[in-house]
Amino acid sequence: MGRKAPREDFDDSGLEVTKPKEWAAGVPGVAVALRDSYAQMGVRRTALTLLRVNQKDGFDCPGCAWPEPDHRHAAEFCENGAKAVAEEATTRRITREFFARHTVAELAERTDHWLGQQGRLTEPMVRRPGSEHYEPISWDEAFGLLGTELSALASPDEAVFYTSGRTSNEAAFAYQLFVRAFGTNNLPDCSNMCHESSGSALTETIGIGKGSVLLEDLYRADLIFVVGQNPGTNHPRMLSALERAKKAGARVVAVNPLPEAGLLRFRNPQVPSGVVGRGTQLADRFLQIRVNGDLALFQALNRMLLESDDPNAIDRAFLAEHTHGFEEFAAHARAVDWDLVLEATGLTRGEIAATLGDVLAAKRIVVCWAMGLTQHRNAVPTIREIVNFLLLRGNIGRPGAGVCPVRGHSNVQGDRTMGIFERPSAAFLDALAGEFGFEPPREHGLDTVDAIRAMRDGRARVFLGMGGNFVRATPDSAVTEAAMRRCRLTAHVSTKLNRSHAVTGEIGLILPTLGRTERDVQASGEQFVSVEDSMGMVHASRGRLEPASPHLRSEVAIVCGLARATLKDSPVDWDAFERDYDVIRDHVSRVVPGFADYNARVRRPEGFVLPHAPRDERRFPTATGRANLTVNGLEVLRVPEGRLILQTVRSHDQYNTTVYGMDDRYRGVKAGRRVVFVHPDDLAALGLADGGTVDLVSEWSDGVERRAPGFRIISYPTARGCAAAYFPETNVLVPLDSTAEISNTPTSKSIVVRLEPTR
Ligand SMILES: Nc1nc2c(c(=O)[nH]1)N[C@H]1C(S)=C(S)[C@@H](COP(=O)(O)OP(=O)(O)OC[C@H]3O[C@@H](n4cnc5c(=O)[nH]c(N)nc54)[C@H](O)[C@@H]3O)O[C@H]1N2
Ligand SMILES: Nc1nc2c(c(=O)[nH]1)N[C@H]1C(S)=C(S)[C@@H](COP(=O)(O)OP(=O)(O)OC[C@H]3O[C@@H](n4cnc5c(=O)[nH]c(N)nc54)[C@H](O)[C@@H]3O)O[C@H]1N2
Ligand SMILES: [Mo]
């Protein structure tokens, strides 16, 4: 089964469990943020950096992709944004002595928390074949090594170029250009594990894989669904937007198996009333749905809309003018079986009927969602059904209404816009060819899961990660680690140490880079970069801090160095790219639609908004030229007797694979991460008790035993039959082959498990 989890992970002697919180943010939020920031970077640096987050002349918060409101508060940051900043702006440093002291094998035994706590990487390091240690290497030699290994491959398709979602537009554009000039579309990214299902479903149905609302739309909505999302922890600034929407009269319906604190009640730390009093109640209705019950819920709502006596239940004029496929969709939806709906959702018919009442009373509806919808086998059909729901009442392309997939990483949406995609459109490749005068590869490349398979099977031999933590973020940890170890060369462009650096190919490289908070000076002077938020707003980001080390290079400079060392007769002037990022933006303005006059518009304080045909002109650039209503089969996720469905979530003290601390304040957990949340009735039925310890064993058709040992049981008010635990510790349980239809996203939110008592 691969390595055992680090010993410290099992130390739950300090574990404390209290009642989950019913409200989020507020004074403790900011107080905790400041305490953590002082510990990482001291008082002066804390003031310097936090005052610059998301300000017009400041840097984009590396926390999440939630947009900034027009009128930014003096301190437009949240507790978790502050933690993300502190993590990067820390004054702790990893030097060459650190690597001399710790063997790679020893680093592989450490926890994610420990690795992250060691501080910023400061110079390029190499692990040479057979060596037990990383040792320093010059940038030139590092680029030379990568260039030599890449050139030695039998085909460019034997290399994999991964991207996480913090990479700027400029770096992303340069990176995909280098990769395509090298000759492959093997550009998997974290999106493959994140909102790929949203992109697939939206592209097919409305013609563009992005959300159709702006912040103003949320403020104008009558009804907002927040489905499969925990904004109190993962998008805290969204709570301010929901609060404002509520003040303007919106109702909020939360759909979640867990009663997440941020969904219930919110105390805004940015306004005085948040400091005293009970704050705002956010969700007017909480639907405690079973995991994966969402398709059934929205299909039932659609059936009821079609059958309603209310003459305005559906928008016939909109359907006739703008949609395709109504008859097939309606015939299918009218036949939805109520017994299946109730079984799948775990809700009562009364709850669903009451929700229909909210819907009929609302002229403008927004549906927001995140990972609770995207990481299931039927994630794409589920999101398509939500589009059906919105289209039925004309809720796309109208102010105050639309789809709102809430993105994760701060520039994950921008990276995709810049061409980080293993399946680029022909139009994008044509534009690249025209601009640079070379023929980019046309064959689709490998996504994340397929890249793991290719490395596992020896079909891919070089891995380069532009940020991220590949071995921890991906499913089936044991398989992925073996796949990485089988490579000839694994290299990572990183700010901080993580486990992926400890699981190397024959050769391992660490290329340390500047973070968002840091000053980026190139030959032409100080540079800025730009990013796109979850709502398609593009704006500049400027770091102000001195770089963590004089040896760091920007991501752009690293791509250019690598390109010069790898490509003979390159069609691109990489020196010019590196010298002045305006040059890159000029090219982007001619290649990527919506970026005309990029350099001028990105310099406006408020940035600019990208065009979005359905939102702006009710035009749907799909295969049919209309918005597509779809038929989505309803299957209930049933588990064998004695098994539970496990969903893997983030705690309040982590950023994906970066573990800031061991608490999950809103869920009432202190000093321990190896915990599993289970409904008390399920515990009784399974003969297990609160506080007991179990192994989580996942069951999948390949018969391989996947076991995550030593989890403390917490009796918790989750939906019946649905357990929850934190990732990345539980990624050992997610089978590589268990992925969503169409999007190929790992099913991290629906793993069938049994709980085996260990003591
Ligand atoms: N502080 C902090 N901020 C972050 C991150 C972080 O790790 N830390 N990560 C960033 C990234 S990359 C992303 S993608 C986002 C993630 O943001 P979220 O999607 O909020 O993250 P998760 O913790 O995965 O939470 C999933 C939510 O969906 C619910 N859920 C699970 N299964 C189902 C289901 O079947 N149906 C429904 N209706 N609900 C379900 C869970 O109970 C949980 O509330 O956050 C971003 N922001
Ligand atoms: N079981 C389970 N697995 C999941 C998920 C889940 O919900 N459940 N969620 C999935 C999701 S939504 C996502 S997005 C992925 C996340 O997958 P990744 O994006 O691969 O993982 P992160 O943990 O965000 O990456 C953290 C690392 O990024 C590097 N880094 C930070 N800032 C920068 C920077 O500015 N530049 C560079 N070059 N490097 C930087 C640091 O070295 C840090 O260690 O995980 C996925 N995995
Ligand atoms: Mo994500």
Side-chain angles (χ1 to χ4, degrees):
M1 199 209 69
R3 115 192 140 118
K4 290 221 281 289
R7 227 176 318 115
E8 298 90 320
D9 265 4
F10 291 90
D11 180 8
D12 60 5
S13 50
L15 181 71
E16 274 178 46
V17 180
T18 52
K19 215 166 122 322
K21 299 274 181 294
E22 288 176 359
W23 49 267
V27 174
V30 172
V32 171
L34 293 177
R35 189 194 65 206
D36 287 1
S37 308
Y38 292 153
Q40 289 278 352
M41 52 185 186
V43 176
R44 190 171 158 274
R45 214 169 153 83
T46 300
L48 259 176
T49 47
L50 292 187
L51 292 178
R52 294 254 177 228
V53 187
N54 292 341
Q55 294 304 296
K56 290 187 174 160
D57 60 345
F59 61 90
D60 179 63
C61 179
C64 73
W66 189 256
E68 285 85 48
D70 269 352
H71 304 287
R72 304 179 196 187
H73 286 281
E76 180 60 30
F77 65 89
C78 65
E79 173 191 350
N80 277 347
K83 287 190 219 158
V85 169
E87 190 74 15
E88 180 178 300
T90 178
T91 49
R92 299 175 195 161
R93 297 288 177 270
I94 294 181
T95 58
R96 54 178 70 181
E97 289 75 33
F98 171 91
F99 288 107
R101 229 168 26 244
H102 302 282
T103 62
V104 178
E106 201 188 317
L107 295 177
E109 295 295 313
R110 296 291 184 161
T111 65
D112 300 302
H113 182 233
W114 188 91
L115 293 168
Q117 288 292 305
Q118 301 311 303
R120 287 288 297 276
L121 296 158
T122 53
E123 63 178 322
M125 302 296 298
V126 62
R127 177 196 198 176
R128 297 191 192 275
S131 170
E132 291 184 359
H133 286 269
Y134 273 104
E135 61 193 80
I137 181 172
S138 72
W139 278 106
D140 281 348
E141 203 196 327
F143 291 141
L145 189 60
L146 258 162
T148 307
E149 293 298 335
L150 285 172
S151 308
L153 294 173
S155 146
D157 291 331
E158 290 185 2
V160 168
F161 299 90
Y162 176 71
T163 312
S164 173
R166 278 197 193 166
T167 297
S168 66
N169 282 356
E170 291 75 3
F173 185 81
Y175 184 45
Q176 63 81 32
L177 180 60
F178 157 64
V179 170
R180 296 195 164 108
F182 174 63
T184 181
N185 282 313
N186 286 348
L187 282 159
D189 69 349
C190 69
S191 223
N192 299 146
M193 300 177 272
C194 187
H195 267 294
E196 199 67 63
S197 305
S198 309
S200 301
L202 293 176
T203 304
E204 179 187 343
T205 54
I206 66 167
I208 173 168
K210 297 182 183 182
S212 74
V213 300
L214 299 171
L215 268 182
E216 298 80 79
D217 294 309
L218 274 186
Y219 303 153
R220 287 205 216 172
D222 300 320
L223 181 63
I224 301 171
F225 281 84
V226 181
V227 193
Q229 199 198 338
N230 179 21
T233 285
N234 298 313
H235 305 91
R237 288 179 301 115
M238 178 177 173
L239 300 185
S240 316
L242 290 176
E243 186 187 39
R244 183 162 162 191
K246 290 211 58 159
K247 289 214 169 107
R251 275 175 77 76
V252 173
V253 176
V255 186
N256 204 304
L258 296 175
E260 306 283 30
L263 295 172
L264 303 181
R265 189 172 284 283
F266 169 53
R267 293 183 190 168
N268 192 340
Q270 321 269 2
V271 299
S273 67
V275 177
V276 288
R278 296 198 24 118
T280 315
Q281 182 190 335
L282 282 183
D284 299 282
R285 188 181 302 289
F286 172 47
L287 298 177
Q288 184 161 36
I289 199 163
R290 284 189 62 216
V291 162
N292 200 36
D294 307 271
L295 196 160
L297 169 65
F298 282 95
Q299 212 153 63
L301 288 172
N302 289 342
R303 173 172 175 172
M304 290 191 296
L305 284 173
L306 289 165
E307 291 174 343
S308 171
D309 302 332
D310 183 335
N312 297 319
I314 64 175
D315 185 341
R316 293 188 187 279
F318 173 82
L319 290 167
E321 191 182 340
H322 292 292
T323 68
H324 174 269
F326 178 78
E327 293 309 326
E328 297 89 322
F329 154 74
H332 182 260
R334 284 201 187 94
V336 172
D337 179 344
W338 269 105
D339 290 338
L340 283 186
V341 169
L342 300 184
E343 184 190 351
T345 60
L347 301 170
T348 64
R349 204 158 161 165
E351 286 175 293
I352 300 176
T355 309
L356 180 76
D358 296 339
V359 171
L360 288 172
K363 183 90 187 92
R364 296 174 291 264
I365 304 179
V366 173
V367 182
C368 305
W369 72 87
M371 296 304 100
L373 289 194
T374 63
Q375 301 173 333
H376 297 287
R377 200 180 66 78
N378 60 354
V380 176
T382 298
I383 296 163
R384 286 195 305 229
E385 197 64 32
I386 287 177
V387 174
N388 288 340
F389 167 73
L390 288 168
L391 289 174
L392 266 184
R393 288 171 64 77
N395 274 311
I396 294 186
R398 165 204 290 169
V403 281
C404 182
V406 181
R407 303 274 163 181
H409 268 300
S410 51
N411 199 38
V412 63
Q413 187 158 316
D415 290 346
R416 204 34 93 71
T417 307
M418 290 298 117
I420 302 292
F421 193 23
E422 74 282 355
R423 289 172 286 135
S425 68
F428 180 82
L429 296 178
D430 291 344
L432 271 189
E435 177 71 11
F436 296 100
F438 77 107
E439 193 36 55
R442 298 276 164 172
E443 209 174 302
H444 286 173
L446 301 169
D447 65 8
T448 294
V449 164
D450 286 335
I452 295 168
R453 292 186 177 124
M455 293 188 284
R456 174 195 66 194
D457 301 340
R459 287 178 283 117
R461 316 247 317 129
V462 172
F463 174 95
L464 175 65
M466 183 59 70
N469 183 0
F470 194 79
V471 303
R472 291 302 270 166
T474 51
D476 234 345
S477 312
V479 175
T480 304
E481 295 198 356
M484 293 287 270
R485 289 201 157 100
R486 214 183 150 184
C487 286
R488 165 72 180 158
L489 169 65
T490 52
H492 302 272
V493 178
S494 311
T495 51
K496 303 277 302 259
L497 188 66
N498 64 46
R499 183 165 170 79
S500 294
H501 305 122
V503 180
T504 75
E506 243 179 292
I507 308 171
L509 271 176
I510 299 176
L511 306 172
T513 191
L514 295 174
R516 284 276 170 80
T517 52
E518 289 164 324
R519 202 180 286 278
D520 181 354
V521 181
Q522 304 295 339
S524 74
E526 193 164 324
Q527 307 295 313
F528 67 89
V529 293
S530 47
V531 294
E532 173 185 344
D533 67 30
S534 208
M535 295 179 176
M537 301 285 303
V538 180
H539 60 86
S541 173
R542 288 181 182 81
R544 304 282 176 173
L545 293 178
E546 266 320 294
S549 142
H551 308 298
L552 301 184
R553 296 221 177 154
S554 73
E555 291 182 345
V556 170
I558 293 171
V559 169
C560 294
L562 184 55
R564 282 186 298 252
T566 310
L567 306 174
K568 293 166 204 77
D569 313 318
S570 174
V572 181
D573 185 351
W574 299 104
D575 291 338
F577 271 35
E578 180 171 346
R579 197 181 315 118
D580 184 354
Y581 301 175
D582 276 359
V583 174
I584 305 176
R585 284 184 287 264
D586 271 340
H587 286 291
V588 172
S589 71
R590 290 186 294 267
V591 171
V592 187
F595 282 83
D597 216 8
Y598 192 0
N599 270 309
R601 289 196 295 157
V602 77
R603 284 177 162 84
R604 293 182 196 155
E606 70 286 4
F608 62 95
V609 66
L610 290 174
H612 187 290
R615 181 194 65 207
D616 305 336
E617 14 168 349
R618 274 206 164 169
R619 189 169 57 77
F620 298 94
T622 61
T624 61
R626 289 163 161 247
N628 290 315
L629 291 154
T630 51
V631 171
N632 303 299
L634 172 57
E635 282 168 36
V636 182
L637 181 58
R638 294 197 179 92
V639 300
E641 184 68 23
R643 311 308 194 258
L644 299 173
I645 305 171
L646 177 76
Q647 58 144 327
T648 59
V649 291
R650 293 149 172 83
S651 82
H652 194 66
D653 273 2
Q654 75 183 79
Y655 193 92
N656 298 338
T657 68
T658 301
V659 178
Y660 303 136
M662 306 305 280
D663 304 344
D664 192 6
R665 203 169 72 249
Y666 295 154
R667 297 196 185 104
V669 181
K670 231 179 168 169
R673 290 180 49 87
R674 281 188 101 78
V675 295
V676 57
F677 301 95
V678 188
H679 191 281
D681 295 347
D682 287 324
L683 288 180
L686 295 170
L688 296 168
D690 182 40
T693 305
V694 289
D695 287 0
L696 306 179
V697 186
S698 104
E699 297 186 352
W700 174 249
S701 52
D702 62 5
V704 173
E705 183 181 282
R706 296 178 176 82
R707 179 181 294 263
F711 280 69
R712 277 270 282 269
I713 298 171
I714 296 181
S715 173
Y716 201 82
T718 170
R720 271 301 303 270
C722 307
Y726 305 127
F727 96 100
E729 290 84 347
T730 44
N731 259 336
V732 291
L733 299 173
V734 187
L736 187 63
D737 293 338
S738 177
T739 61
E741 302 158 22
I742 303 171
S743 66
N744 211 22
T745 295
T747 59
S748 322
K749 294 288 189 278
S750 40
I751 312 162
V752 179
V753 293
R754 60 173 195 271
L755 275 46
E756 282 187 2
T758 50
R759 296 180 209 146

